[in-house]
Amino acid sequence: MGSIIAGLGIAAGTALASIWNASEEREAREELAKKLMEQGQITANEYRQIQNVIDAYYDERGSMGNRQDVDNYVKDIRKFDVGKYDYDWKKDKGYENFDTYFGNKTKEDYLNPYYDAIIGDTADQIQHSAAGAGLGRGTGAALNIAKGVAQKSDELYKTALQEYNTDRSQKYQEYSDYITNMTNRYKNLQDQEKYRLQLEGTLANDYYNVMDQRQADSLKAKQDAIAAQTQYDTALAGLG
């Protein structure tokens, strides 16, 4: 009987010990779970603060460009026409060709306007000289007059030709300079437009680079927050 009672006492003690140990373990798990949840909340708050810091940084930093710059750049790129800045001198009124610009002039246009009078005076002077020399109006006088008139005519024509060539050369240089200047002007306009597009592209690119980096930083913070929360959830599940 005594041994039965003793056995019952040992069994009761073991049962009480087990209940006590189970109670302590449960309390320990509950306490651990509580601390894990508290730490999880702290961690979540810290990640929210990190996100706030990221937002504040990028709000203050900003970017050189903005969304409007992107829209302008896309619009201007689509309507940019290189051919618009090619100078077509053949379609430039008054400069279609050099002859039109020069006025289709000939050397006759440069003859002394008193050509006929000069030739007449020359003939009269030679005839007067011939008469003074006693040649009268004979063959000798006629030959001298013809020769003198031919020489004066040749002199006048040579002078006219020289003036014609000089003027034509000057006009051609003006014509050539004009076409060169207009070509350069159109090229400068094209270069200016390309440079403006380049600046717009720089602004648009900077805007997107900043937006991309901001998004990357935000996603990284969120991923880290999710990873930390997953670790806490896993640890809590292990306590169940």
Side-chain angles (χ1 to χ4, degrees):
M1 184 72 176
S3 60
I4 294 175
I5 293 175
L8 289 174
I10 293 173
T14 302
L16 287 173
S18 298
I19 292 173
W20 179 262
N21 290 336
S23 176
E24 282 189 334
E25 184 178 352
R26 184 175 62 256
E27 290 179 359
R29 288 183 178 181
E30 289 176 352
E31 182 65 22
L32 180 57
K34 180 181 178 182
K35 289 189 176 298
L36 284 173
M37 286 187 289
E38 289 175 351
Q39 188 59 48
Q41 187 60 47
I42 292 173
T43 302
N45 290 335
E46 288 176 344
Y47 278 114
R48 278 194 291 272
Q49 291 175 9
I50 290 174
Q51 184 61 56
N52 290 337
V53 170
I54 292 174
D55 291 338
Y57 168 75
Y58 281 103
D59 287 342
E60 180 179 356
R61 179 193 186 283
S63 64
M64 290 189 298
N66 53 45
R67 180 65 206 183
Q68 186 61 50
D69 292 316
V70 176
D71 294 340
N72 291 340
Y73 179 61
V74 173
K75 179 183 66 177
D76 290 339
I77 280 292
R78 287 177 176 171
K79 72 178 184 180
F80 179 64
D81 179 13
V82 177
K84 176 183 177 182
Y85 302 96
D86 289 335
Y87 171 62
D88 189 350
W89 62 272
K90 293 182 179 179
K91 294 182 180 180
D92 188 346
K93 187 176 181 181
Y95 292 86
E96 296 89 346
N97 57 69
F98 176 67
D99 287 336
T100 299
Y101 176 69
F102 187 58
N104 295 311
K105 294 180 180 180
T106 65
K107 63 179 179 298
E108 281 73 18
D109 295 311
Y110 292 84
L111 281 175
N112 194 307
Y114 304 104
Y115 174 84
D116 292 334
I118 292 172
I119 292 299
D121 288 344
T122 299
D124 289 343
Q125 290 173 6
I126 294 175
Q127 184 177 1
H128 179 73
S129 297
L135 296 177
R137 292 181 179 276
T139 302
L143 288 174
N144 282 339
I145 291 173
K147 182 178 179 181
V149 168
Q151 288 176 342
K152 176 56 70 173
S153 178
D154 183 60
E155 176 187 332
L156 292 175
Y157 266 93
K158 284 181 178 177
T159 300
L161 180 60
Q162 182 179 8
E163 292 177 355
Y164 165 81
N165 287 332
T166 299
D167 191 26
R168 185 178 177 87
S169 177
Q170 291 175 344
K171 288 295 185 182
Y172 182 80
Q173 188 61 53
E174 292 174 5
Y175 176 79
S176 178
D177 289 345
Y178 175 85
I179 291 178
T180 298
N181 290 336
M182 290 299 291
T183 300
N184 290 337
R185 177 174 178 271
Y186 273 75
K187 183 179 183 303
N188 288 337
L189 289 173
Q190 183 184 113
D191 290 343
Q192 289 173 19
E193 184 66 9
K194 287 182 177 179
Y195 183 64
R196 188 175 70 83
L197 289 175
Q198 180 182 350
L199 292 179
E200 283 187 348
T202 299
L203 292 174
N205 189 58
D206 178 72
Y207 171 74
Y208 268 115
N209 284 341
V210 173
M211 294 301 100
D212 288 345
Q213 189 59 52
R214 180 172 187 168
Q215 182 74 350
D217 290 345
S218 293
L219 288 176
K220 178 65 168 57
K222 290 177 181 178
Q223 289 171 348
D224 290 345
I226 292 172
Q229 187 60 50
T230 300
Q231 291 179 346
Y232 287 124
D233 291 343
T234 300
L236 287 170
L239 296 176

